Amino acid sequence: MNYQALFEQIKKKKSFLCVGLDSDMKKIPTHLLSSTDPVFEFNKAIVDATADYTVAYKPNVAFYECRGAVGWRSLEKTVIYIKDNYPDIFLIADAKRGDIGNTSKMYASAFLENMPFDSITVAPYMGEDSVTPFLEYDNKWVILLALTSNKGAFDFQFFEENNKKMFEKVLEKSQEWGTKENMMYVVGATKAEMLSDIRKIAPDHFLLVPGVGAQGGSLKEVAKYGMNQSCGLLVNSSRGIIFADTSDQFAIIAQIKAKELQKEMENLLIEYSIL
Amino acid sequence: MNYQALFEQIKKKKSFLCVGLDSDMKKIPTHLLSSTDPVFEFNKAIVDATADYTVAYKPNVAFYECRGAVGWRSLEKTVIYIKDNYPDIFLIADAKRGDIGNTSKMYASAFLENMPFDSITVAPYMGEDSVTPFLEYDNKWVILLALTSNKGAFDFQFFEENNKKMFEKVLEKSQEWGTKENMMYVVGATKAEMLSDIRKIAPDHFLLVPGVGAQGGSLKEVAKYGMNQSCGLLVNSSRGIIFADTSDQFAIIAQIKAKELQKEMENLLIEYSIL
């Protein structure tokens, strides 16, 4: 999916919501556990209930990998189901991969070739040749970790050389490798006011913002400091939507929660003259 | 496996060799391709041929993940086979994972609980809570990326604050989270002379050194600058052993290559008074 198509989808759905499919086997409704692939059934129900309100889905791979080959099968089935039934929706593999060049190539093929993901989150520590193999696919994206939303972000991401912080260096340097057409950045919403500084370095790129909801960020603040002329934001919510309810009504409650966020986003898109 | 047991194995086998099982489906001998699980058959043959000369095996997970659920099954079978048949050998999941706390916990369970790995390589960018969940298992290890062997290492790992480089900061800071008993570091052999500076910060920790062989490092240099009183080194070779030959003689050639490295290592262990 290219930049323009993503922006068109945002305008059409009046939403920049990404739903995180962190489908923890221990948290999904118990009535699903008797099916042959409970995680897939859960994801399918969540997707069918929320697809009108979201522009992206983001399975975090850890929640599948922890179930081994069986979990991988659930992941494969989930992304194929979404791509077959909702081809306009942007698919993010939240995998945080990164290795030396010939190995990153293998990860790229795992997610961008063998599965129909549009994008993958990548860790920057190993530098250029760990990132660029993911950029070799047309209309596929790297979403590079810049400033994460967790407490540990302060350990290394704020390391500073000549008044430049590590995450700022990542934002700058990586623009030699990719463009706003194939690279986004992960920027944690728990530090929304920092988005205005980030916009000075990366004015046009899409930012994937986790941490709204369970991790504590405010949507209004994120839009205030982070939105650009093409919206430029994908804001993720995982637990606040998919585990809002664990009864047999879980999908309809997830839909209500997604719709609430979409409505809030619609108002912000109007406020900032995107719609 | 604990520190002492690993050191005992090194002395017993007179080796600090780690064999990297980067078992690329496209490179394994063609006569294996007709079996039901060619990668597992290949790994089994390599392991049986080299186990006397190596103290560790390190499958790089990317080479399995790129084959989806089927590849994960090959990985699971491989590590179970090694643990069942060679329980003294140290098993490294070269996965370079790392995510926010509750997600890293899932990755930890994937590799250290659901599979019998002794250790996993972890990327440091997200800081403390992305690393510590992997440290919650007795006698299991984090192998943290510090200074990698690829060209891209220069992009961020040499970023410098107050005369301290990023990789040095990683070495220092992470010693607040783990000890020489549960944490090792990845240090690329292409910069062997830098090992002496690294030894000033981390004198007692084991270092996992990739990049000897195909990536260009010299074993003598690595020992000269990096060895400590408990050896403190695991030196990896992947392609130089496992793909040294692709005929039906591949296993015996791999054995010869592993034995050559073991012999070189034995001489170095004697030279530096470990044996």
Side-chain angles (χ1 to χ4, degrees):
Chain A
M1 183 177 305
N2 67 24
Y3 191 94
Q4 195 55 35
L6 180 56
F7 185 38
E8 291 304 324
Q9 196 198 168
I10 288 171
K11 287 190 285 188
K12 187 176 144 206
K13 289 188 176 164
K14 305 175 187 2
S15 169
F16 46 98
L17 178 62
C18 171
V19 173
L21 298 173
D22 299 357
S23 306
D24 186 344
M25 187 76 167
K26 292 185 188 124
K27 289 188 187 156
I28 70 176
T30 49
H31 73 277
L32 291 176
L33 297 179
S34 56
S35 69
T36 51
D37 188 343
V39 167
F40 172 67
E41 294 302 329
F42 175 75
N43 286 346
K44 190 171 166 296
I46 291 284
V47 167
D48 289 337
T50 58
D52 286 347
Y53 309 104
T54 185
V55 296
Y57 287 105
K58 180 177 76 63
N60 187 308
V61 179
F63 290 86
Y64 301 84
E65 204 164 285
C66 70
R67 295 170 51 241
V70 172
W72 267 85
R73 187 64 71 201
S74 303
L75 178 64
E76 289 167 346
K77 282 167 66 183
T78 297
V79 291
I80 288 167
Y81 179 80
I82 300 173
K83 201 44 96 184
D84 282 352
N85 291 278
Y86 307 97
D88 293 339
I89 291 186
F90 191 72
L91 278 172
I92 302 168
D94 195 358
K96 299 184 177 74
R97 300 296 195 260
D99 206 314
I100 60 172
N102 77 324
T103 309
S104 270
K105 215 182 269 276
M106 294 286 170
Y107 281 128
S109 114
F111 292 99
L112 304 181
E113 203 173 310
N114 300 345
M115 285 192 276
F117 280 107
D118 297 293
S119 63
I120 177 170
T121 59
V122 174
Y125 192 74
M126 294 181 69
E128 181 170 2
D129 62 290
S130 72
V131 176
T132 51
F134 296 100
L135 293 169
E136 283 168 21
Y137 296 83
D138 284 345
N139 296 323
K140 305 265 177 171
W141 300 67
V142 160
I143 307 180
L144 196 64
L145 301 185
L147 180 60
T148 59
S149 57
N150 61 324
K151 192 166 155 265
F154 292 95
D155 289 324
F156 305 121
Q157 296 165 26
F158 287 79
F159 199 66
E160 193 168 316
E161 180 181 279
N162 300 330
N163 292 317
K164 187 180 295 175
K165 297 187 179 69
M166 172 57 93
F167 73 87
E168 294 170 327
K169 170 85 174 172
V170 168
L171 288 166
E172 273 187 19
K173 185 77 186 167
S174 60
Q175 290 183 45
E176 298 170 15
W177 314 331
T179 69
K180 68 163 192 174
E181 304 278 347
N182 64 4
M183 192 175 279
M184 304 186 185
Y185 298 103
V186 172
V187 179
T190 45
K191 307 162 192 80
E193 70 288 356
M194 299 188 68
L195 281 166
S196 58
D197 286 331
I198 286 168
R199 277 300 181 206
K200 288 176 197 155
I201 309 174
D204 299 324
H205 290 69
F206 266 91
L207 307 179
L208 171 63
V209 183
V212 164
Q215 288 179 55
S218 143
L219 192 54
K220 273 190 183 177
E221 298 279 296
V222 169
K224 180 178 171 187
Y225 296 110
M227 203 174 271
N228 67 16
Q229 289 170 324
S230 304
C231 179
L233 293 172
L234 294 175
V235 172
N236 185 71
S237 177
S238 301
R239 287 164 276 176
I241 291 176
I242 70 171
F243 297 130
D245 182 87
T246 54
S247 72
D248 57 4
Q249 298 295 302
F250 74 96
I252 189 79
I253 303 295
Q255 184 176 65
I256 290 167
K257 294 291 177 187
K259 198 172 175 177
E260 278 172 14
L261 276 170
Q262 177 275 320
K263 195 68 202 164
E264 227 187 300
M265 289 174 173
E266 180 174 346
N267 291 336
L268 290 164
L269 288 165
I270 292 167
E271 185 180 338
Y272 291 96
S273 308
I274 310 291
L275 294 180
Chain B
M1 182 178 304
N2 67 24
Y3 190 96
Q4 195 54 38
L6 180 56
F7 184 38
E8 290 305 323
Q9 197 199 165
I10 288 169
K11 287 189 286 189
K12 187 177 145 205
K13 290 188 176 163
K14 306 176 189 353
S15 168
F16 46 98
L17 177 62
C18 172
V19 173
L21 298 172
D22 299 357
S23 306
D24 188 342
M25 187 74 167
K26 293 182 188 128
K27 291 187 188 157
I28 68 177
T30 49
H31 73 278
L32 291 175
L33 296 178
S34 57
S35 71
T36 54
D37 188 343
V39 167
F40 172 67
E41 293 303 329
F42 174 75
N43 286 346
K44 188 170 169 295
I46 291 284
V47 168
D48 289 338
T50 58
D52 286 346
Y53 309 102
T54 184
V55 296
Y57 287 106
K58 180 177 77 62
N60 187 308
V61 179
F63 291 85
Y64 301 84
E65 206 164 283
C66 69
R67 293 172 50 241
V70 172
W72 267 84
R73 186 65 71 203
S74 303
L75 178 63
E76 289 167 346
K77 282 165 68 182
T78 297
V79 291
I80 289 168
Y81 178 80
I82 300 172
K83 200 46 93 180
D84 281 352
N85 291 278
Y86 307 97
D88 293 340
I89 291 188
F90 190 72
L91 277 173
I92 302 167
D94 195 357
K96 302 188 175 70
R97 299 298 195 259
D99 206 314
I100 61 172
N102 78 323
T103 309
S104 270
K105 214 183 268 277
M106 293 287 167
Y107 281 128
S109 115
F111 292 100
L112 304 181
E113 203 173 309
N114 299 346
M115 286 192 275
F117 280 107
D118 295 293
S119 63
I120 176 170
T121 57
V122 175
Y125 193 74
M126 294 181 69
E128 180 170 2
D129 62 291
S130 73
V131 176
T132 51
F134 296 100
L135 294 169
E136 283 168 20
Y137 296 82
D138 285 345
N139 296 325
K140 304 264 175 170
W141 301 67
V142 160
I143 308 180
L144 197 63
L145 301 186
L147 179 61
T148 59
S149 58
N150 62 323
K151 192 167 156 261
F154 292 96
D155 289 324
F156 305 122
Q157 296 166 27
F158 287 80
F159 198 65
E160 192 167 318
E161 178 181 278
N162 299 329
N163 292 317
K164 186 181 293 170
K165 296 187 180 66
M166 173 55 84
F167 74 87
E168 295 171 328
K169 170 83 176 176
V170 168
L171 288 166
E172 274 188 20
K173 184 75 187 169
S174 61
Q175 291 184 47
E176 297 171 16
W177 315 329
T179 69
K180 69 163 191 173
E181 304 278 345
N182 63 4
M183 193 174 280
M184 303 186 184
Y185 298 103
V186 172
V187 179
T190 45
K191 306 160 193 76
E193 70 286 357
M194 298 188 69
L195 281 165
S196 58
D197 286 331
I198 286 167
R199 277 297 181 210
K200 288 178 194 152
I201 309 173
D204 299 325
H205 291 70
F206 266 92
L207 306 179
L208 172 62
V209 183
V212 164
Q215 289 179 54
S218 145
L219 192 55
K220 273 193 180 170
E221 296 280 295
V222 169
K224 178 178 173 189
Y225 295 111
M227 202 175 269
N228 68 17
Q229 289 170 326
S230 305
C231 178
L233 294 172
L234 293 175
V235 172
N236 185 72
S237 177
S238 301
R239 287 165 276 176
I241 292 176
I242 69 172
F243 297 130
D245 181 89
T246 54
S247 73
D248 58 2
Q249 297 296 302
F250 73 98
I252 191 78
I253 303 295
Q255 183 177 65
I256 289 167
K257 294 289 175 186
K259 198 172 176 177
E260 277 172 15
L261 276 170
Q262 177 275 321
K263 196 69 202 162
E264 225 186 302
M265 289 174 173
E266 180 174 347
N267 291 336
L268 290 164
L269 287 165
I270 291 166
E271 183 179 340
Y272 292 97
S273 308
I274 310 290
L275 293 180

